[in-house]
Amino acid sequence: MSAGGRGGVRATLSGLTTRGRSFLAAGIAAAICAYVLGQDDLLRVGLLLAALPLLCAGVLHRTRHRVTAERGLAPARVPATGEARVRLRVDNVSRLPTGLLMLQDRVPYVLGPRPRFVLDRVEPGGHREVSYRVRSDLRGRYRLGPLQVRLSDPFGMCELTRSFSAYDTLTVLPRVEPLPAVRFGGEALGHGDGRQRSLALAGEDDVIPRGYRHGDDLRRVHWRSTAKHGELMVRREEQPRRSRCTVLLDTRAVAYEGAGPGSAFEWAVSGAASVVAHLLERGFSVRLLTDFGVTVSGEGGSGHERAAAATLMMDTLAVIDHSDGADLAGAYDVLRDGHDGLLVAFLGDLDGGQAASVARMRRRGGAVAFVLDPDAWTREPTAVPEPNAPLPQRLKVLREGGWTALGVPRGASLEELWRQADRERPGPAALSGGARG
């Protein structure tokens, strides 16, 4: 017999229950006594007692490889605190009915208790379906499975476990809070009457005309080029310029304290996700930037482009974690590439030098900073704030650099802070409320 065969027999015999082991021991003892005493009837009883658990184990060993299972997960991506349903189906593809079945699916502890189901015997060719729900308050990517099926014979002599290798992945996205439409720093929205337009080149003298085509508006005829080339020339059509925004997320571990769904870092991740979703919906070209310089970009154009960009960025935010960085130098280097547009930053604790560095990141299209003070998030709600807290000084440095800077108290609503930032932004172009986009 091969080693695999010996291992299979050993594994099958190890599945004998207390009842099965008792029957086997009683049968062996009866057979020995019958041999010593010369009692043939006792020998028959002993053989029957010993053969019954072995026969049950042999049948169950063959049956467990005739049981198949599959899992269905819907939906595979849910927001935090959302629920997903997992469906399990077990099929008996053998010609014999199964005994009692117990299903156990492996799930991470953050999704809830490990689900267990007990199924009655399944007829040949039959199947059974069960389902359970999973829910998580904490974003992340979680593995469901593999599924284990424990089979038992009708006499309770043996129990064997069948493990399946397939598994599914549940992605829990950060919470997204709806935000009102505002126009920070006069920045035009991605679509609508307020969008910016540009010619092929900036100046009237530098415009590149093209030949007249049937149906072109005669009001776009470029007479100077027409006289020069001796044929009718028209100006190129104006090209829409999509508004752009960079969402900066500070992930430094030293900048936050605490953990869990109600921590400051999770609020910052949820805030970044809310701003990304809001601006993509408004037609912006959005770039997600972290403190160590990693970027994820997406366009908020057509519905397909917007959905693809939102999926990519939300999946990135679902698994983003703390970094080991000590400063924001990586983000500062990226922002030096001349990428104009709105800048929205979610920042943790800042010292004086870091605040000055962030102040120099201000963009021409406006800059808004939400600063989460670790002391405010770890301090008891009834505790009195320290008189020399550094947060007001950090906010002052940012505001002097042209930022609209707000401190984020514990449990604050991003929607209210978003409106407050719109009211407090500097400059005469403070046009509040419903944007025409």
Side-chain angles (χ1 to χ4, degrees), residues 156-338:
M157 298 288 180
C158 185
E159 289 184 352
L160 295 179
T161 301
R162 168 82 185 277
S163 295
F164 298 87
S165 59
Y167 65 91
D168 290 285
T169 301
L170 174 67
T171 303
V172 180
L173 307 176
R175 289 186 294 271
V176 174
E177 186 174 349
L179 300 178
V182 298
R183 299 209 318 194
F184 291 113
E187 175 72 10
L189 293 181
H191 295 289
D193 297 335
R195 66 184 177 184
Q196 302 174 0
R197 292 182 178 272
S198 63
L199 294 173
L201 293 177
E204 175 69 19
D205 294 335
D206 296 328
V207 69
I208 301 178
R210 61 171 176 82
Y212 176 82
R213 299 173 186 171
H214 179 71
D216 284 339
D217 190 350
L218 293 178
R219 290 175 297 182
R220 294 197 294 112
V221 173
H222 193 262
W223 297 108
R224 183 179 301 177
S225 298
T226 299
K228 179 179 180 180
H229 293 85
E231 59 177 325
L232 207 57
M233 307 291 289
V234 296
R235 295 182 178 88
R236 292 184 182 274
E237 295 179 355
E238 294 178 332
Q239 302 295 326
R241 181 185 302 166
R242 188 177 305 282
S243 299
R244 295 180 292 181
C245 175
T246 298
V247 179
L248 170 60
L249 176 61
D250 182 7
T251 65
R252 296 171 299 136
V254 296
Y256 301 93
E257 294 183 9
S263 64
F265 180 65
E266 293 302 322
W267 192 97
V269 174
S270 176
S274 301
V275 173
V276 165
H278 174 71
L279 295 180
L280 285 175
E281 184 67 27
R282 304 293 293 175
F284 275 73
S285 174
V286 182
R287 177 174 64 172
L288 177 65
L289 174 64
T290 61
D291 55 285
F292 47 92
V294 175
T295 61
V296 180
S297 302
E299 298 289 339
S302 64
H304 178 73
E305 292 177 346
R306 185 167 59 246
T311 298
L312 177 61
M313 294 191 181
M314 290 302 172
D315 287 349
T316 301
L317 290 172
V319 297
I320 200 167
D321 203 355
H322 288 295
S323 69
D324 298 330
D327 52 35
L328 300 162
Y332 182 78
D333 292 339
V334 173
L335 291 174
R336 292 167 54 188
D337 63 359

